[in-house]
Amino acid sequence: MAVIVALGAFLMTLAGGWTAQRVTDRRHLVLGLAGGLMLGVVGLDLLPEAMRAAGREVFGVPLALLLFVTGFLVAHVAERLLAVRQHAHGAAHGDGAGVEHGGRVPEVGLTAAAAMVGHSLADGVALGAAFQVGGGMGVAVALAVITHDFADGFNTYTLTRLYGNARRKAMLMLFADAVAPVVGAASTLLFTLPEEPLGAYLGFFGGVLLYLAAAEILPEAHHKHPALSTLMCTVGGVAGIWLVVGLAG
């Protein structure tokens, strides 16, 4: 049953990516919505789940929050280091090679998309584990996974393209993100992932996503089109995730 539900998540992820690539003439609205979806996923879905699963404290701070901040800092440091390396490489060749789209580095987009794939894989594992616990729990998790995988597909494609990667690479990352929950759900037929490591991962991943949303996607969305419609897309993305979380609960 978990694998069958994961196939629904596969289709929803592809639908999200398809939507993102079809509205390129409204790029600022796409980015505004993506930023809102990511903010909603982090604050209303990932972080609460991480706090529940990885509840122990490290030197007075919940482990999930510690890893959340660590993920934010790792994303920031990694992007700065890649940017410095690419600028130095371009300067050595005298042509600025490798620095595209306002200084954004394509590898950062691919890394972020790979993190989304890892998140979808964890979604599949959580789905399989929930069905092992019981049918009611499985249905609740299935609703959450399938509905927010639309946002995952949307964000995976948007992130990859935002950093200047070719459409082919964006489509490959989207397909990997769509397959990941199916693989994760199928893996639970062989083993069960302990709850605390899963919670720790969600905390770290939440920090990475928050950095990308706050430092990259939302500023880009409002840079050339500081319109009310862009802002409403961001708010609508957060509200949509809130609705999904509420229905799943």
Side-chain angles (χ1 to χ4, degrees):
M1 178 60 71
V3 175
I4 292 174
V5 172
L7 290 174
F10 171 86
L11 296 176
M12 285 295 286
T13 302
L14 293 180
W18 180 85
T19 301
Q21 64 176 302
R22 294 293 294 179
V23 291
T24 51
D25 58 328
R26 294 289 184 269
R27 185 169 179 267
H28 59 292
L29 299 180
V30 171
L31 294 175
L33 179 60
L37 290 171
M38 291 171 71
L39 178 59
V41 166
V42 171
L44 306 178
D45 185 16
L46 290 183
L47 199 53
E49 177 63 23
M51 290 286 291
R52 184 191 65 80
R56 68 184 181 90
E57 294 187 352
V58 178
F59 203 61
V61 178
L63 176 62
L65 288 182
L66 188 63
L67 288 170
F68 176 77
V69 174
T70 301
F72 188 98
L73 290 175
V74 166
H76 177 58
V77 170
E79 185 186 37
R80 291 299 89 205
L81 289 177
L82 281 171
V84 168
R85 182 178 68 84
Q86 292 287 64
H87 276 291
H89 177 75
H93 288 79
D95 59 359
V99 182
E100 305 173 3
H101 290 248
R104 288 184 170 83
V105 184
E107 288 86 348
V108 174
L110 291 176
T111 302
M116 295 296 295
V117 174
H119 169 56
S120 294
L121 184 66
D123 275 351
V125 172
L127 181 62
F131 274 100
Q132 289 178 358
V133 171
M137 176 67 73
V139 170
V141 174
L143 177 62
V145 168
I146 289 178
T147 48
H148 96 249
D149 270 0
F150 179 89
D152 284 354
F154 190 97
N155 290 334
T156 297
Y157 185 88
T158 301
L159 279 170
T160 309
R161 292 290 282 156
L162 176 64
Y163 283 84
N165 291 285
R167 182 177 179 274
R168 181 179 61 83
K169 289 186 178 180
M171 293 300 294
L172 285 174
M173 295 308 297
L174 174 63
F175 183 74
D177 189 50
V179 171
V182 181
V183 175
S187 71
T188 60
L189 300 175
L190 305 175
F191 69 92
T192 301
L193 183 66
E195 188 175 51
E196 187 170 322
L198 181 59
Y201 165 77
L202 291 177
F204 180 85
F205 178 63
V208 173
L209 275 191
L210 181 63
Y211 175 80
L212 294 172
E216 298 293 333
I217 290 183
L218 290 177
E220 176 71 11
H222 294 277
H223 177 58
K224 295 182 179 179
H225 298 86
L228 179 61
S229 57
T230 308
L231 179 61
M232 293 306 296
C233 282
T234 302
V235 174
V238 175
I241 296 298
W242 187 14
L243 178 62
V244 168
V245 171
L247 291 175

